[in-house]
Amino acid sequence: MNQLIQAATHGDILKLTAPECILVVTALVALAVSFAFNGRMEALRLSRTLSWLSILGLGLASGVLLFNQPAGDVLGGLFYTNDACRMVKLGIAALGAASIWLHMGNQRPFPHQGEFHALLLLAMVGMFLLVGADHLLMIFVALELTALSLYILTGFEKSKPVATQTALKYFLIGGVSAAFVLYGFSLIYGMTGYLSLSDIQVALTGKPTDPLLAMGLVMSLIGFGFKIAAAPFHMWAPDVYQVAPTPVASLIASASKVAGFFVLGRFLWGGFGGFEGSIHGWHWSAGWMVVLGLLACLSMIIGNLAALKQSNIRRLLAYSAVAHSGYALLGILSPSSSGPASAAFYMITYGVSIIGVFGLLHVLSQNGQASDWRALEGLRHRSPWLAACFMLLVLSMAGIPPLIGFLGKFNLFISALKTSGNPLGLILLVALALGASAVSLYYYLGMLKAAFCKDATQTGTIEANGYQISLIITTALITILLGVFPGTLLARFMEAFAS
Amino acid sequence: MQELLFYIFSALTLICGFLVVANPFTRNPVTSAMFLVLTIVSMAGLFVLLNAFFLAAVQVMVYAGAVIVLFLFVIMLLDVKEVERQHYNLFGVVLGLLGLLSVGGMLIKAILASGVGKDLHPHMEGTTKDLGMKLFTDYVLPFEIMGVLLLVGMIGVILLSKKNLR
């Protein structure tokens, strides 16, 4: 009898986690290929082979997600899939593939390519699991899988002392935040007796707020805040963005945040739906909305103001990413299903633009320029096409119509404003977000000014290979095409989250 | 009897844990490592009080046995003697203490204010068999993911620690 149950469960688990299993197998194959051909094949060719292999694995996983994925849950709600999960996982797979494509443009790949690709894929497995997790234990394990892979990837170029140092910093801050999450989860488990989010939701309905439970919730929010780099838990972001290998930085900036936001929304609305409190004008009542509102506020202010002062473009992008996390938190705050949907949509489209910008910075640094403002100067003369793409990407991040960044932000603010009863707090937050976007225009336009109005300090055209050019042009095209024709994709997104 | 043991073990855990990081008498890293062993053993005692015998045994065998031995190996191989007395950054110390006090104060206040532990009936099950059943039925997926997590850790350690890996 017991064995029968076992067999059935394993089949079910395999069915629901097929994309994750494919990615794990791809990672193992990548390790094996690099083990077999290391030294016997030219380094660049081996690296490209591994990248194609990884993209193939991601493609297969996406195919399974698109065409052959049943909805449902397994092991009593430990892991689930539904339309929303599938959409977000597809987005993560696309962003991951773009990061690997960015890596393919690297003409002189650093050593240990097999391990590099395997870790990238395993980090993505962690993100996939995070999206499907409906259980505190699963959330923690998936968070750790993602984080551990990303720590190692950050310090991957260990010949650079600063890389090791930054990876260690990332690891220490991450370790502390993991301790907070674990303590928070254990308090939640202690107070409710359940680990599954839906069980917690049921156990909490109609109960008065327990202070110790609130403590556990706040502690878990600290860990999630670290994952999505919301102020004041953003200290690692500037260093990691600056030092990590470009594909890793773009993965951290895009896919990892998408997964973080999705699971945050799931955790708060799926587990603590009756516990949100309110931020209605000045009459706040205790609940996680107050904490999250505070995080959003701080992220928007600190992120944008700190970005104004940066001379290194990667650090600037890191701070602006903090600000973008603040905007996306508004989506999590809005109680309708369109809120988390627009937050996820916003983060995915933002990820597309930031990967494009990272691709351009990678091209510039390969042409022997450090990534400070001067690298951008005279980009228009040196390479008009790249400059045009750069303009589209940066304007999309700034939120200028008709680009996708505008649409994402618009959706976020609308979903926050449409909240029934129109709590004044949310309106104030949206007003703050509008002001913060205006401030952010200063540095975004400053980047464009450097690229278009300044004379070049260096002459000569910019060398870029086909992989890099195709990546930059594709991302720029996506920002404008999706911005003009968002219809079906956005509608499908909203629909998936509503069901 | 049980309550008395609980207080003894928790006091031991806290005191030894403090002595690991801030020992006023010596700054010898080996002493710190030995206090870490004591901390872990007293935590194993707490696990026994909770009927989690397997966890207690694992705690002693893996942490007190293997991990601390590795720590000692590293300390002795590197030949670390006395750690230099660091000049503490006053700002950092004040801020750290402030953070610690506020979080600790909140926790204590929350524990006092909440009715935790009132009319609860202890439901002790922690035998090795129960644990194994849970691990291979209800929690088989996280258990398998832990395997992947260990693979990541292994790759990372080999990659970052080896000097001239081809």
Side-chain angles (χ1 to χ4, degrees), chain A residues 178-236:
Chain A
F180 269 105
V181 171
L182 206 54
Y183 199 5
F185 281 3
S186 73
L187 282 179
I188 292 169
Y189 177 57
M191 299 311 294
T192 59
Y194 294 105
L195 280 170
S196 161
L197 288 178
S198 22
D199 287 346
I200 291 175
Q201 176 89 294
V202 173
L204 283 182
T205 35
K207 291 255 181 74
T209 317
D210 191 287
L212 206 54
L213 185 72
M215 198 74 198
L217 193 53
V218 170
M219 283 191 166
S220 339
L221 280 181
I222 291 176
F224 286 116
F226 165 82
K227 186 85 214 147
I228 58 172
F233 313 111
H234 65 286
M235 295 303 175
W236 54 275

Side-chain angles (χ1 to χ4, degrees), chain B residues 19-84:
Chain B
L19 287 176
V20 174
V21 285
N23 194 332
F25 306 110
T26 168
R27 293 186 73 82
N28 193 336
V30 178
T31 325
S32 286
M34 290 332 254
F35 273 117
L36 193 56
V37 176
L38 273 182
T39 316
I40 286 163
V41 170
S42 33
M43 265 160 70
L46 287 177
F47 280 133
V48 170
L49 288 180
L50 289 172
N51 270 25
F53 303 112
F54 181 74
L55 264 186
V58 166
Q59 182 90 357
V60 172
M61 278 197 296
V62 174
Y63 284 92
V67 174
I68 299 292
V69 169
L70 267 181
F71 273 25
L72 285 176
F73 263 131
V74 171
I75 292 170
M76 287 172 179
L77 277 180
L78 293 177
D79 199 19
V80 189
K81 297 220 175 67
E82 289 266 302
V83 183
E84 283 172 53

Side-chain angles (χ1 to χ4, degrees), chain A residues 2 6 10 13 28 31 38 75 78-79 112 115 119 122 129 135 137-138 141 144-145 148-149 152 155-156 158 183 191 195 210-212 215, chain B residues 103 106-107 110-111 113-116 133 136-142 144-146 148-149 151-153 155-156 159-163 165-166:
Chain A
N2 221 338
Q6 272 299 300
H10 261 112
I13 295 176
L28 294 179
L31 276 179
N38 193 7
L75 292 171
L78 210 63
F79 186 85
H112 317 310
E115 288 84 345
L119 285 175
L122 289 175
L129 289 169
H135 192 271
L137 194 66
M138 274 297 286
V141 172
E144 280 305 286
L145 180 57
L148 195 63
S149 318
I152 300 167
F156 208 87
K158 57 176 179 169
Y183 199 5
M191 299 311 294
L195 280 170
D210 191 287
L212 206 54
M215 198 74 198
Chain B
V103 172
M106 267 196 290
L107 251 181
I111 291 173
S114 83
V116 64
M133 287 299 282
F136 285 97
T137 54
D138 291 354
Y139 294 101
V140 65
L141 188 60
E144 280 161 6
I145 299 166
M146 286 311 287
V148 181
L149 187 63
L151 174 73
V152 170
I155 296 175
L159 200 82
L160 294 179
S161 62
K162 279 284 260 186
K163 223 173 198 170
L165 205 66
R166 257 191 321 116

Side-chain angles (χ1 to χ4, degrees), chain B residues 105-125:
Chain B
M106 267 196 290
L107 251 181
I108 290 169
K109 218 173 156 222
I111 291 173
L112 291 180
S114 83
V116 64
K118 264 179 217 155
D119 33 80
L120 273 182
H121 305 288
H123 177 63
M124 298 288 198
E125 53 173 33

Side-chain angles (χ1 to χ4, degrees), chain A residues 338-364:
Chain A
S338 69
S342 41
F345 184 77
Y346 181 64
M347 284 324 286
I348 289 176
T349 49
Y350 166 74
V352 171
S353 338
I354 201 161
I355 285 181
V357 173
F358 267 121
L360 189 91
L361 290 179
H362 194 226
V363 170
L364 289 177

